[in-house]
Amino acid sequence: MTDFWSIWISVLTIVVIAGCFILLKLVSKNTTGVEEGESMGHSFDGIEELNNPLPKWWSYMFYITIVFGVVYLALYPGLGNYKGLLGWSSSNQSIGTENGIKADSVAAIELAAKEGRWVQYDQEVKRADEKFGPIFKAYAETPLEELVKNEEALKVGGRLFLQNCSQCHGSDARGSKGFPNLTDNDWLYGGELATIKTSILNGRHGMMPPKGGLPIEDSEVKGLAEYVTKLAGRDHDEALAAQGQASFMKGCFACHGMDATGNKFMGAPNLTNNVWLYGGSRGAIEQSIINGRSGVMPAWKDVLGEEKVHVITAYVYSLSNK
């Protein structure tokens, strides 16, 4: 954090706490000249305002929270780059008392960081790696073809999926608009075990340029959308679809194929199976043609590591191959 933002956060925090204290003091004082319990001279709809201050216990509760906040910010990080009197950190390293330095002191953290020692969050991660590392290693050494038959491994993969993948694909893995359904056996890049693992490890970047980057006029879009509707086996206007086929032959086949069944090497979707990533209404299809589409799946190799990706791959494969 830069010095500017550190000062900004610190000043803002202190001003807010001081403001709460001042406001509490002001409302606790009787500055109206009206005795407690007496009328303030205001009434509406039969309801009269009386001079009733905050209950003492309520005021004391606010004072206690203010004091607690001040003490906490003095002892722990909370004011920009200030580390707190205890020098506590969730992820920095610490030496402990073995060198005659208080375990949680600033000096200990600085020395620990220099020597690469562990504390708190880092220790928890280390303990987790020591406990679960051998399990994931054993799974990683198991061929995927065998791992998909291991119920315990699939349960682990399911939990990893919920923690990391469900935000986009949904807890039931059925996806949503712009996020593929992983249960229907329709794969843009292929549904083989090795391909799924590659997709998760390295991510994917699918892109269709507006109008496919082709000389397609706006007047042709409705016809092209009608032809795509026909390809999907849905009710269509035959004459309009015939016009759209001529537009398709301008170059759409280069990605989607002459038979419009797609190209898994490019991630170009199959237009004949009535499965739609961005919606299959005529309006949605027209929007896809006019504006193009760009979808990105991030790479998970550096986030989860190959061992965990190996387990998730088995789980994802099992979703559409039960």
Side-chain angles (χ1 to χ4, degrees), residues 137-174:
K137 183 178 180 182
Y139 286 153
E141 293 173 351
T142 304
L144 284 167
E145 291 77 9
E146 296 180 22
L147 200 62
V148 296
K149 303 174 184 178
N150 187 324
E151 291 298 325
E152 288 301 317
L154 294 181
K155 289 179 181 178
V156 173
R159 288 192 288 269
L160 288 171
F161 180 91
L162 287 173
Q163 294 167 1
N164 300 279
C165 312
S166 61
Q167 292 86 345
C168 293
H169 295 285
S171 59
D172 59 358
R174 293 185 180 276

Coordinates of all heavy atoms in Angstrom, one line a residue, residues 137-174:
K137 N -1.5 -36.3 -4.1 CA -0.4 -36.9 -4.9 C -0.8 -38.3 -5.4 O -0.5 -38.6 -6.5 CB 0.9 -37.0 -4.0 CG 2.1 -37.5 -4.8 CD 3.3 -37.5 -3.9 CE 4.5 -38.1 -4.7 NZ 5.7 -38.1 -3.8
A138 N -1.4 -39.1 -4.5 CA -1.9 -40.4 -4.9 C -2.9 -40.3 -6.0 O -2.9 -41.1 -7.0 CB -2.4 -41.1 -3.7
Y139 N -3.8 -39.3 -5.9 CA -4.8 -39.2 -6.9 C -4.2 -38.8 -8.2 O -4.6 -39.2 -9.3 CB -5.9 -38.1 -6.5 CG -6.8 -38.5 -5.5 CD1 -7.4 -37.6 -4.6 CD2 -7.2 -39.9 -5.3 CE1 -8.4 -38.0 -3.7 CE2 -8.1 -40.3 -4.4 CZ -8.7 -39.3 -3.5 OH -9.6 -39.7 -2.6
A140 N -3.2 -37.9 -8.1 CA -2.5 -37.4 -9.4 C -1.7 -38.5 -10.1 O -1.6 -38.4 -11.3 CB -1.6 -36.2 -9.0
E141 N -1.3 -39.5 -9.3 CA -0.6 -40.6 -9.9 C -1.5 -41.7 -10.5 O -1.0 -42.6 -11.1 CB 0.4 -41.2 -8.9 CG 1.5 -40.3 -8.4 CD 2.3 -40.8 -7.3 OE1 1.9 -41.9 -6.7 OE2 3.3 -40.2 -7.0
T142 N -2.8 -41.5 -10.3 CA -3.8 -42.4 -10.8 C -4.3 -42.0 -12.2 O -4.7 -40.8 -12.3 CB -5.0 -42.5 -9.8 OG1 -4.5 -42.9 -8.5 CG2 -6.0 -43.6 -10.4
P143 N -4.2 -42.8 -13.2 CA -4.7 -42.4 -14.5 C -6.2 -41.9 -14.4 O -7.0 -42.5 -13.6 CB -4.6 -43.7 -15.3 CG -3.5 -44.4 -14.7 CD -3.7 -44.2 -13.2
L144 N -6.5 -40.9 -15.2 CA -7.9 -40.4 -15.1 C -8.9 -41.4 -15.4 O -10.0 -41.4 -14.9 CB -8.0 -39.2 -16.1 CG -7.3 -37.9 -15.7 CD1 -7.2 -36.9 -16.8 CD2 -8.1 -37.3 -14.5
E145 N -8.6 -42.3 -16.3 CA -9.6 -43.4 -16.7 C -10.0 -44.2 -15.4 O -11.1 -44.7 -15.3 CB -9.0 -44.3 -17.7 CG -8.9 -43.6 -19.1 CD -7.6 -42.7 -19.2 OE1 -6.8 -42.7 -18.2 OE2 -7.5 -42.0 -20.2
E146 N -9.0 -44.3 -14.5 CA -9.3 -45.1 -13.3 C -9.9 -44.2 -12.2 O -10.7 -44.6 -11.4 CB -8.0 -45.7 -12.7 CG -7.4 -46.8 -13.6 CD -6.1 -47.4 -13.1 OE1 -6.0 -47.3 -11.8 OE2 -5.3 -47.9 -13.8
L147 N -9.5 -42.9 -12.2 CA -9.9 -42.0 -11.2 C -11.4 -41.7 -11.3 O -12.1 -41.5 -10.2 CB -9.1 -40.7 -11.3 CG -9.1 -39.8 -10.0 CD1 -8.4 -40.5 -8.9 CD2 -8.4 -38.5 -10.3
V148 N -12.0 -41.7 -12.5 CA -13.4 -41.4 -12.6 C -14.2 -42.5 -12.0 O -15.5 -42.4 -11.9 CB -13.8 -41.3 -14.1 CG1 -13.1 -40.0 -14.7 CG2 -13.4 -42.5 -14.9
K149 N -13.6 -43.7 -11.7 CA -14.4 -44.8 -11.0 C -14.2 -44.8 -9.5 O -14.8 -45.6 -8.8 CB -13.9 -46.1 -11.6 CG -14.0 -46.2 -13.1 CD -13.3 -47.5 -13.6 CE -13.4 -47.6 -15.1 NZ -12.7 -48.8 -15.7
N150 N -13.4 -43.8 -9.0 CA -13.1 -43.8 -7.6 C -14.1 -42.8 -6.9 O -14.0 -41.6 -7.1 CB -11.7 -43.3 -7.4 CG -11.3 -43.3 -5.9 OD1 -12.1 -43.0 -5.0 ND2 -10.0 -43.6 -5.7
E151 N -15.1 -43.3 -6.2 CA -16.1 -42.5 -5.6 C -15.6 -41.5 -4.7 O -16.1 -40.3 -4.6 CB -17.2 -43.4 -4.9 CG -18.0 -44.2 -5.9 CD -18.8 -43.4 -6.8 OE1 -19.3 -42.3 -6.4 OE2 -19.0 -43.8 -8.0
E152 N -14.6 -41.8 -3.9 CA -14.0 -40.9 -2.9 C -13.4 -39.7 -3.6 O -13.5 -38.6 -3.2 CB -13.1 -41.6 -2.0 CG -13.7 -42.5 -1.0 CD -14.7 -41.8 -0.1 OE1 -14.4 -40.6 0.4 OE2 -15.8 -42.3 0.2
A153 N -12.6 -40.1 -4.7 CA -12.0 -39.0 -5.5 C -13.0 -38.1 -6.1 O -12.8 -36.9 -6.1 CB -11.1 -39.7 -6.5
L154 N -14.1 -38.6 -6.6 CA -15.1 -37.8 -7.2 C -15.8 -36.9 -6.2 O -16.2 -35.7 -6.5 CB -16.2 -38.7 -7.8 CG -15.7 -39.5 -9.1 CD1 -16.9 -40.3 -9.7 CD2 -15.1 -38.6 -10.1
K155 N -15.9 -37.4 -4.9 CA -16.5 -36.5 -3.8 C -15.5 -35.3 -3.6 O -16.0 -34.2 -3.4 CB -16.7 -37.3 -2.6 CG -17.8 -38.3 -2.7 CD -18.0 -39.1 -1.4 CE -19.1 -40.1 -1.4 NZ -19.2 -40.9 -0.2
V156 N -14.2 -35.6 -3.5 CA -13.2 -34.6 -3.3 C -13.3 -33.6 -4.5 O -13.3 -32.4 -4.3 CB -11.8 -35.2 -3.2 CG1 -10.8 -34.1 -3.2 CG2 -11.7 -36.0 -1.9
G157 N -13.4 -34.1 -5.7 CA -13.4 -33.3 -6.9 C -14.7 -32.4 -6.9 O -14.7 -31.2 -7.3
G158 N -15.8 -33.0 -6.4 CA -17.0 -32.2 -6.3 C -16.9 -31.0 -5.3 O -17.4 -29.9 -5.6
R159 N -16.2 -31.3 -4.2 CA -16.0 -30.2 -3.2 C -15.1 -29.1 -3.8 O -15.4 -27.9 -3.6 CB -15.5 -30.7 -1.9 CG -16.5 -31.5 -1.1 CD -16.0 -31.8 0.3 NE -14.9 -32.8 0.3 CZ -15.1 -34.1 0.4 NH1 -16.4 -34.6 0.5 NH2 -14.1 -35.0 0.5
L160 N -14.1 -29.5 -4.5 CA -13.2 -28.5 -5.2 C -14.0 -27.7 -6.2 O -13.8 -26.5 -6.4 CB -12.0 -29.2 -5.8 CG -11.0 -29.8 -4.8 CD1 -9.9 -30.6 -5.6 CD2 -10.2 -28.7 -4.1
F161 N -14.8 -28.4 -6.9 CA -15.7 -27.7 -8.0 C -16.6 -26.7 -7.3 O -16.6 -25.6 -7.8 CB -16.5 -28.8 -8.7 CG -17.4 -28.2 -9.8 CD1 -16.9 -28.1 -11.1 CD2 -18.7 -27.7 -9.5 CE1 -17.7 -27.5 -12.1 CE2 -19.5 -27.2 -10.5 CZ -19.0 -27.1 -11.8
L162 N -17.2 -27.0 -6.2 CA -18.1 -26.1 -5.5 C -17.3 -24.9 -5.0 O -17.8 -23.8 -5.1 CB -18.8 -26.8 -4.4 CG -19.9 -27.8 -4.7 CD1 -20.4 -28.5 -3.5 CD2 -21.1 -27.1 -5.4
Q163 N -16.1 -25.1 -4.6 CA -15.3 -24.0 -4.0 C -14.8 -23.1 -5.1 O -14.6 -21.9 -4.9 CB -14.1 -24.6 -3.2 CG -14.6 -25.3 -2.0 CD -13.4 -26.1 -1.4 OE1 -12.3 -26.1 -1.9 NE2 -13.7 -26.8 -0.3
N164 N -14.5 -23.6 -6.3 CA -13.8 -22.8 -7.3 C -14.5 -22.6 -8.6 O -14.2 -21.6 -9.3 CB -12.4 -23.5 -7.6 CG -11.5 -23.6 -6.3 OD1 -10.9 -22.7 -5.9 ND2 -11.5 -24.8 -5.7
C165 N -15.4 -23.5 -9.0 CA -16.0 -23.5 -10.3 C -17.4 -23.1 -10.3 O -18.0 -22.7 -11.4 CB -15.8 -24.8 -11.0 SG -14.1 -25.5 -10.9
S166 N -18.1 -23.3 -9.2 CA -19.6 -23.2 -9.2 C -20.0 -21.7 -9.4 O -21.1 -21.4 -9.8 CB -20.2 -23.7 -7.9 OG -19.6 -23.0 -6.8
Q167 N -19.1 -20.7 -9.1 CA -19.5 -19.3 -9.3 C -19.9 -19.0 -10.7 O -20.7 -18.2 -10.9 CB -18.3 -18.4 -8.9 CG -18.0 -18.4 -7.4 CD -17.0 -19.6 -7.0 OE1 -16.8 -20.5 -7.8 NE2 -16.5 -19.5 -5.8
C168 N -19.3 -19.7 -11.7 CA -19.6 -19.5 -13.1 C -20.6 -20.6 -13.6 O -21.5 -20.3 -14.3 CB -18.4 -19.5 -13.9 SG -17.3 -18.0 -13.6
H169 N -20.2 -21.9 -13.3 CA -21.0 -23.0 -13.9 C -22.2 -23.4 -13.0 O -22.9 -24.2 -13.5 CB -20.0 -24.2 -14.1 CG -18.9 -23.9 -15.1 ND1 -19.2 -23.9 -16.5 CD2 -17.6 -23.6 -15.0 CE1 -18.0 -23.6 -17.1 NE2 -17.1 -23.5 -16.2
G170 N -22.3 -22.8 -11.8 CA -23.4 -23.2 -11.0 C -23.1 -24.4 -10.1 O -22.3 -25.2 -10.5
S171 N -23.8 -24.5 -9.0 CA -23.5 -25.6 -8.1 C -23.9 -26.9 -8.7 O -23.4 -28.0 -8.3 CB -24.3 -25.3 -6.7 OG -25.6 -25.2 -7.0
D172 N -24.9 -26.9 -9.6 CA -25.3 -28.1 -10.3 C -24.5 -28.3 -11.6 O -24.8 -29.2 -12.4 CB -26.8 -28.1 -10.6 CG -27.2 -26.9 -11.4 OD1 -26.4 -26.1 -11.8 OD2 -28.4 -26.8 -11.7
A173 N -23.6 -27.4 -11.9 CA -22.7 -27.5 -13.1 C -23.5 -27.3 -14.4 O -23.0 -27.6 -15.5 CB -21.9 -28.8 -13.1
R174 N -24.7 -26.8 -14.3 CA -25.5 -26.6 -15.5 C -25.3 -25.2 -16.2 O -26.0 -24.9 -17.2 CB -27.0 -26.8 -15.2 CG -27.3 -28.2 -14.8 CD -28.8 -28.5 -14.6 NE -29.1 -29.9 -14.2 CZ -29.2 -30.9 -15.1 NH1 -29.1 -30.6 -16.4 NH2 -29.4 -32.1 -14.7

